[in-house]
Amino acid sequence: MSDETPHPAAAPTFSSREAAALPRRSATISVLVENESGVLARVIGLFAGRGYNIDSLTVASVDAGGSRSRINIVTSGSDMVIEQIKAQLTRLVPVYRIAELSQEGPHLARELAMVKVISDGANRAEALRLAEAFRARVIDATVESFVFELTGGTQKLDSFIELLRPIGLAEVSRTGVAAIARGTRMLSSKH
Amino acid sequence: MTAIQQQSGAEILLRALRDQGVEVIFGYPGGAVLPIYDAIYQQNSIRHILVRHEQAAVHAAEGYARSTGKVGVVLVTSGPGATNAVTGLVDALMDSIPVVCLTGQVPTHLIGNDAFQEADTTGITRAATKQNYLVRQSEDLARTVHEAFHIARSGRPGPVLIDLPKDILIAPAPYQPASAEPHRSYRPVTEPDPSRIKEAVRLLKSAKRPIVYSGGGVINAGDAASAALVEFVRVTGMPCTSTLMGLGAYPSNDPQFLGMLGMHGTYEANNAMHGCDVMLNIGARFDDRVTGRLNAFSPDSRKIHADIDPSSINKNVVVDVPIIGDAGLVMQALLAAWHADDTRQDREGLASWWRQIDAWRAVDSLKFTQNPAPGSIIKPQHAIRRLYEITRETGRDTFISTEVGQHQMWAAQHFRFDKPNRWMTSGGLGTMGYGLPAAAGVQIAHPDALVIDVAGEASILMNIQEMATLAQYRLPVKVFILNNQYMGMVRQWQELLHGSRYSESYSEALPDFVKLADAFHGVGLRATSVDDLDRVIREMIAIDRPVIADICVDQKENCFPMIPSGAAHNEMILGPEHQDRAAAVTDEGLMLV
């Protein structure tokens, strides 16, 4: 077909079982759902019940009336498993649309961390220098502690936290990944 | 505007059910659903069938649904009523049976307080249903009921549950008719992709060794789907096999039918699946009972898989041509494309493939030997064969339900179905206790038909209380027990896989089924030797009341052929009639169920 829009009944094909089963990869999937009672439990239950991984999960309502929520899931598995995850999610009654952002084109993925450091002396100064290098903001300070706020990709947050570990890292709170496609592509209604 | 006459939630519920065409509800009352029972009492258009256990209510609704193509409706109370229904819901989910289950709930202000007979029903049944709802506002009640029926019957059918707090049932509620608007988010695809249909036809025309493998999806898609399947198989001249759930879609006595495939399928069906070069799977899901060892499953074939549920495709088996769509529409599209495509079919290849299949068929893998001498012990296969032949002689429309185990497999092998919707069995979940309530549901829907539950003496005890339901509604269901005093399939696996250590699989203290039938206002019959059998079957059929026929069969008989756990289709073991090969069960196979 010359038309780029796939037929609604199109299903993915694999060259072989071996190709489908290997290797494992990471996938960022966004799911637009009806904001009804139990919908998050339904999505999480699907992952738990079928033995899929959840590396990160975020959820919030995304329209003015609060009737639709967007769930962003970072998961991993073989191509075959990830296609299964997408098919199983699509099958849920309150799901409007899903998109695998990591496959369908360039996308942005960000998370936010709040990181508490308790230290003194040189370590305290070093923590501040690192925060500056990572463009983390100080959102709380006492004589013994800082709370930094840092936004960015998962790896950036991971490395910031690792660097703070020997100099007084005390506590971390992270949001998990929010993701969106670059350009004009949208996760709107599937119809 | 005139004032809208407000009815109670319970009355609105019944009105919505009527508008959905509901004629029968299978249920059991309790505190939380008393307002619904009060509304039922005051009307005559919907009939309520009182079962004796909530699990049976769901199975009865499944039998009703499977034998009519309509949605089965269940009504149970909160707490234990709902939890007892869970097994039935999962059964319907696994076998894609459309059921709407209404559960009572404590009043909204008590939810979460551990009130009497409170359970988190929507939480418990989330993975047991296709969709479930807790109605928190009267305004949502009618809409929710209409939506539940739409979801239960469309797409891949399944159970939908509506949890109804008691205050919602009592308070006035507005009525709304079913909306013509499509559902907000749920829109199953039914029309297949034409380009995939063309690709499938090209593949099938070039096939030298094709096979059609049909499943329960064809039955669910309605009579037109079965008719299209039959026409396609006849036009193309291909061999056709069926899953347990698909039996009846293609007539079993037709020479192009190879019998059931899978763990207890025929030698010809399984070898043809193993050796084919193009496979058309229509409405089946490559279940592990069917595929055997996955990495040895039909290794040299190109596979076409048509299913209404996208998640069934590429789940277990990687396929070459996936088609998402309704089984009937897919078969009709394939048939049209077959006629439109001017490529010549490889008829020579097909002819030599049939010669190979006939050689496999000549093995006669379902063969058994019944000693005809008076006083001889009855072989269970013989009992099913005679049941089939005698019911056929009567010319009556016959519906068979089963429990789970050896008797179920023997029924699937030896009872021959030539129409869809005549075979009710628990395939996916394998629920012992399914058959008797399912038969009750079938008999309610088809009062004049001959309805027989082929049972084992162990399974039947799991929902034996439903004999009382049969008596109350004068349902002349026949319970045909193949009594070997063992949980036969467990015993068979213990013999083959666990050194004949028959751990807990022997029933020491069985009831006297003849007296038991009598106690439940039915008629009990017994056959202990082969010369009793025909007489008992004929008598059972002739009696217009519930009957238990206790057929005492050979205790040690095993169900063959069999693909042992972890084996491939071409590694099946045949019965003692065939110079049995030793069971080649691997350590890996031992872990499988």
Side-chain angles (χ1 to χ4, degrees):
Chain A
M1 279 194 290
S2 58
D3 189 355
E4 283 298 294
T5 315
H7 187 276
T13 53
F14 298 103
S15 57
S16 70
R17 183 170 177 82
E18 288 67 37
L22 286 166
R24 284 173 71 87
R25 64 180 178 84
S26 174
T28 304
I29 299 170
S30 283
V31 190
L32 192 65
V33 299
E34 175 81 3
N35 206 357
E36 66 180 32
S37 148
V39 64
L40 184 61
R42 219 174 274 286
V43 169
I44 293 171
L46 168 66
F47 277 74
R50 294 188 184 265
Y52 308 139
N53 297 313
I54 298 180
D55 296 327
S56 157
L57 183 138
T58 60
V59 56
S61 113
V62 288
D63 68 353
S67 69
R68 292 181 184 196
S69 286
R70 179 177 179 129
I71 301 175
N72 298 294
I73 304 165
V74 181
T75 182
S76 57
S78 65
D79 277 346
M80 199 167 164
V81 166
I82 288 167
E83 287 307 326
Q84 253 306 293
I85 291 173
K86 286 153 66 176
Q88 294 288 352
L89 285 169
T90 306
R91 194 160 86 119
L92 296 179
V93 169
V95 167
Y96 284 96
R97 190 179 136 72
I98 71 140
E100 186 187 350
L101 297 176
S102 47
Q103 188 112 105
E104 292 178 7
H107 73 287
L108 301 162
R110 293 288 182 273
E111 59 177 313
L112 181 145
M114 288 187 269
V115 185
K116 182 172 287 181
V117 173
I118 302 176
S119 55
D120 52 19
N123 280 349
R124 199 167 151 83
E126 178 61 14
L128 266 183
R129 268 195 298 276
L130 281 170
E132 200 174 328
F134 276 81
R135 297 189 195 155
R137 293 199 303 142
V138 177
I139 55 173
D140 178 69
T142 67
V143 285
E144 296 149 297
S145 69
F146 287 118
V147 175
F148 299 115
E149 174 197 305
L150 178 61
T151 308
T154 298
Q155 285 187 338
K156 176 180 166 183
L157 269 58
D158 287 348
S159 25
F160 180 60
I161 292 162
E162 270 319 297
L163 288 168
L164 290 175
R165 197 172 296 283
I167 55 173
L169 178 74
E171 193 176 344
V172 178
S173 177
R174 291 170 74 152
T175 57
V177 173
I180 200 163
R182 284 185 184 270
T184 55
R185 280 190 302 122
M186 287 188 295
L187 178 71
S188 53
S189 166
K190 63 183 167 187
H191 307 294
Chain B
M1 224 175 106
T2 53
I4 300 161
Q5 194 200 338
Q6 293 265 296
Q7 293 176 293
S8 74
E11 286 165 330
I12 290 301
L13 172 71
L14 288 186
R15 187 168 161 192
L17 295 179
R18 269 195 299 275
D19 279 6
Q20 287 295 335
V22 174
E23 292 163 358
V24 183
I25 296 176
F26 299 92
Y28 202 102
V33 285
L34 283 176
I36 304 177
Y37 276 87
D38 201 40
I40 287 174
Y41 189 84
Q42 298 177 49
Q43 55 87 53
N44 281 317
S45 55
I46 296 179
R47 188 176 176 206
H48 180 274
I49 303 298
L50 177 67
V51 295
R52 266 55 175 179
H53 187 289
E54 289 88 350
Q55 181 195 350
V58 187
H59 294 324
E62 287 184 274
Y64 178 90
R66 190 73 172 168
S67 66
T68 59
K70 299 179 192 168
V71 178
V73 183
V74 177
L75 170 58
V76 297
T77 195
S78 63
T83 56
N84 275 347
V86 169
T87 299
L89 293 171
V90 180
D91 192 89
L93 185 70
M94 294 283 272
D95 286 344
S96 309
I97 311 294
V99 167
V100 168
C101 179
L102 309 164
T103 53
Q105 182 55 279
V106 300
T108 45
H109 70 272
L110 284 180
I111 290 178
N113 281 24
D114 298 328
F116 176 65
Q117 291 195 332
E118 180 185 359
D120 174 11
T121 301
T122 49
I124 289 167
T125 60
R126 198 166 284 129
T129 53
K130 182 174 175 182
Q131 172 70 336
N132 63 17
Y133 303 89
L134 169 62
V135 179
R136 290 174 179 277
Q137 290 169 317
S138 301
E139 303 89 270
D140 296 338
L141 180 59
R143 182 189 56 74
T144 303
V145 174
H146 297 311
E147 186 174 314
F149 275 83
H150 171 62
I151 288 171
R153 68 162 75 95
S154 62
R156 179 177 178 176
V160 178
L161 180 141
I162 310 175
D163 203 21
L164 298 158
K166 194 170 185 181
D167 53 329
I168 298 289
L169 296 171
I170 293 167
Y175 188 71
Q176 17 180 155
S179 162
E181 291 271 294
H183 188 273
R184 300 175 304 286
S185 57
Y186 166 79
R187 305 201 185 164
V189 173
T190 54
E191 287 281 350
D193 180 347
S195 64
R196 290 274 166 85
I197 294 286
K198 277 188 199 151
E199 204 182 333
V201 164
R202 275 197 297 273
L203 207 53
L204 287 162
K205 283 220 168 163
S206 68
K208 291 186 185 312
R209 302 184 310 278
I211 190 162
V212 178
Y213 146 43
S214 88
V218 179
I219 311 260
N220 277 336
D223 288 353
S226 295
L229 169 74
V230 173
E231 192 181 348
F232 183 84
V233 171
R234 297 224 168 114
V235 164
T236 59
M238 293 175 184
C240 178
T241 179
S242 167
T243 66
L244 180 71
M245 295 307 293
L247 292 175
Y250 194 90
S252 300
N253 286 318
D254 187 284
Q256 278 174 261
F257 188 65
L258 307 188
M260 183 175 75
L261 83 166
M263 185 171 271
H264 294 290
T266 65
Y267 190 69
E268 54 271 31
N270 285 332
N271 275 304
M273 286 291 281
H274 190 82
C276 68
D277 69 343
V278 176
M279 175 191 299
L280 170 63
N281 169 347
I282 174 83
R285 58 186 175 89
F286 293 111
D287 177 81
D288 57 78
R289 297 291 100 160
V290 158
T291 61
R293 189 168 80 241
L294 266 181
N295 61 10
F297 173 69
S298 193
D300 303 318
S301 63
R302 307 260 287 160
K303 299 174 185 74
I304 303 158
H305 183 188
D307 202 296
I308 199 158
D309 177 3
S311 73
S312 284
I313 294 177
N314 287 322
K315 181 172 68 181
N316 302 328
V317 171
V318 172
V319 299
D320 303 278
V321 185
I323 301 172
I324 299 168
D326 170 85
L329 299 178
V330 169
M331 286 321 299
Q332 283 155 10
L334 283 173
L335 203 52
W338 180 273
H339 290 306
D341 185 293
D342 49 15
T343 329
R344 214 180 71 80
Q345 183 187 9
D346 188 346
R347 283 274 170 179
E348 297 72 30
L350 186 60
S352 95
W353 178 227
W354 270 113
R355 282 193 291 279
Q356 170 67 71
I357 289 171
D358 287 339
W360 286 324
R361 195 176 250 168
V363 169
D364 192 10
S365 59
L366 300 181
K367 190 164 70 180
F368 60 90
T369 305
Q370 172 66 57
N371 183 347
S376 303
I377 190 80
I378 302 166
K379 289 283 183 184
Q381 301 95 320
H382 179 67
I384 301 286
R385 281 274 174 100
R386 289 308 294 152
L387 180 70
Y388 167 65
E389 288 158 2
I390 294 170
T391 54
R392 205 173 157 84
E393 282 166 21
T394 68
R396 291 178 64 187
D397 198 6
T398 304
F399 293 75
I400 301 290
S401 72
T402 73
E403 310 289 336
V404 169
Q406 283 183 324
H407 67 273
Q408 177 190 30
M409 292 298 112
W410 282 317
Q413 291 173 337
H414 297 278
F415 203 100
R416 301 191 150 251
F417 297 91
D418 53 6
K419 286 190 201 126
N421 307 99
R422 300 301 189 281
W423 167 242
M424 271 41 66
T425 197
S426 171
L429 194 63
T431 311
M432 293 168 74
Y434 167 88
L436 180 55
V442 173
Q443 190 82 73
I444 289 287
H446 307 273
D448 300 324
L450 178 57
V451 182
I452 303 169
D453 172 27
V454 175
E457 82 293 336
S459 280
I460 193 66
L461 290 177
M462 284 215 184
N463 268 322
I464 192 69
Q465 77 288 343
E466 295 311 310
M467 288 299 295
T469 309
L470 299 186
Q472 178 169 344
Y473 297 97
R474 301 175 192 281
L475 303 175
V477 167
K478 321 298 185 218
V479 181
F480 190 74
I481 300 177
L482 299 183
N483 186 346
N484 59 6
Q485 299 178 49
Y486 277 100
M487 293 155 213
M489 195 59 93
V490 172
R491 196 207 63 86
Q492 174 167 346
W493 281 54
Q494 287 172 333
E495 179 187 330
L496 298 177
L497 307 174
H498 296 278
S500 299
R501 291 179 295 279
Y502 298 130
S503 179
E504 303 296 327
S505 56
Y506 181 70
S507 301
E508 293 274 0
L510 284 168
D512 178 333
F513 286 106
V514 172
K515 286 184 184 160
L516 187 133
D518 192 45
F520 278 112
H521 315 290
V523 176
L525 305 170
R526 180 173 290 130
T528 53
S529 69
V530 68
D531 41 317
D532 295 335
L533 182 65
D534 284 17
R535 178 186 54 77
V536 165
I537 293 174
R538 286 182 209 284
E539 202 176 332
M540 171 186 90
I541 292 171
I543 297 170
D544 191 29
R545 286 170 61 191
V547 180
I548 294 180
D550 185 19
I551 312 296
C552 304
V553 299
D554 188 345
Q555 293 189 291
K556 295 290 167 62
E557 192 67 20
N558 285 332
C559 185
F560 289 115
M562 178 180 183
I563 302 176
S565 302
H569 276 179
N570 61 341
E571 297 165 355
M572 63 193 312
I573 41 177
L574 298 170
E577 306 288 332
H578 299 89
Q579 310 289 311
D580 197 1
R581 293 191 282 142
V585 179
T586 59
D587 285 351
E588 213 172 290
L590 262 181
M591 293 194 303
L592 304 172
V593 288

